[in-house]
Structures are given as structure tokens and as C-alpha cells.
Amino acid sequence: MRTVRRVLVGLVVAVLSSAAPAQESKIHSSVGLVLAGGPGPVKVWVLFTDKGLAPEREAGAIADLERTYSARAVERRRLRRTDPGLFDARDLPVPEEYVRGVLASGAPERARSRWVNAVSVLATRAQMEAIAALPFVRQIQPIRTGPGPETLPL
């Protein structure tokens, strides 16, 4: 009987502990290092799972993209594009409803990237946790920065 109880308790603990990491795993581990650098919000990218369209609607949206580009831009793509076709899902805009969901956390928007399918925000830990709970968020990553320009002595 004790063995059965231990197994049941172990299963319950495993299930409960596996529920929390799903949301936590959306927040990249390096965000904690950035937050440890000081109080206040940090600059992060919120990456989305998809473009917010059903597959059949996405194909139609991609087909319609050529009409929204100038003739010069289309010709430039014809000459230089190495991927098949002139347009693909990366050219579709970031889903507006996804951006609104992220901004509802109170984190202000900084930039959008349709190629990365992401929005950049300035967020606190609490805001990031709220954003990570959204079903369309794939991951939250800190904005990577390189070393600043070197100052030359005068």
C-alpha cells in the first residue's frame, strides 16, 4: 500500500511540476541574467508561433502580396531572390491580434519584425510571465547587444 501511495504522490508531483515549466520555458534562460543586471524592464523579443492565419488563408495572403509591393520592389525580388517564389510567409505582417495581446500586458512596443514574426517590447518579469501565458507566444528572448563603440583617447 505504501508503494502505491508513493507512486501516486510521485505522479501528482510530476504532473504539477511539469505544468509550470511549460510557461517558464517560453522565457529564454538568458532573460534571468539580464533581469539580474538591475531593476526595471528589459528589452525583449516576443516570438510568435505562426502568422495567425489558417493554411488555406495564408496561401491566399501570400499570393496577394505582389499587389501591395511596387513594381520596382517586385523586379528587385525577381533579380535577387534565391528562395522559390517571389514571396513567402516571412513577408506577411506580424498578426495584429497577437501584438494587441502582448501589449495588453502593459509592456510598450519598441519594434516589429515580420521576417522574425516577432514584436519587441520593454517588459518587466511580471509582464513577461503574462506574455508567456499567451497561447500564440513561442518564446521570449532578450535583445542581444554587442560591445559598444570603443572610445579613442584624444
Side-chain angles (χ1 to χ4, degrees):
M1 192 65 168
R2 282 186 182 182
T3 305
V4 172
R5 181 180 281 179
R6 285 182 185 164
V7 170
L8 287 175
V9 168
L11 285 173
V12 169
V13 168
V15 167
L16 291 176
S17 64
S18 67
Q23 177 178 321
E24 190 64 31
S25 66
K26 287 184 178 182
I27 301 174
H28 195 274
S29 59
S30 61
V31 171
L33 297 173
V34 175
L35 285 168
V42 296
K43 300 172 190 173
V44 294
W45 279 111
V46 179
L47 307 170
F48 299 123
T49 56
D50 55 39
K51 289 289 189 168
L53 298 171
E56 60 276 0
R57 289 194 59 219
E58 185 173 293
I62 292 169
D64 289 341
L65 280 174
E66 188 169 347
R67 291 184 304 116
T68 64
Y69 280 69
S70 70
R72 183 174 173 220
V74 171
E75 184 57 28
R76 186 173 53 243
R77 279 177 175 258
R78 264 196 193 91
L79 293 172
R80 292 184 177 82
R81 184 156 167 102
T82 56
D83 290 337
L86 290 178
F87 300 96
D88 60 29
R90 293 173 295 185
D91 297 306
L92 293 172
V94 176
E96 192 61 42
E97 59 273 15
Y98 290 6
V99 174
R100 281 194 304 269
V102 169
L103 298 181
S105 71
E109 180 178 349
R110 299 184 64 250
R112 294 183 193 195
S113 172
R114 61 183 165 175
W115 296 283
V116 180
N117 195 27
V119 63
S120 171
V121 295
L122 191 62
T124 63
R125 179 69 178 190
Q127 289 168 331
M128 282 186 249
E129 289 169 357
I131 293 167
L134 298 171
F136 48 80
V137 170
R138 181 169 49 100
Q139 190 174 42
I140 299 172
Q141 298 178 351
I143 292 183
R144 311 257 192 263
T145 58
E150 292 184 33
T151 331
L152 298 174
L154 296 176

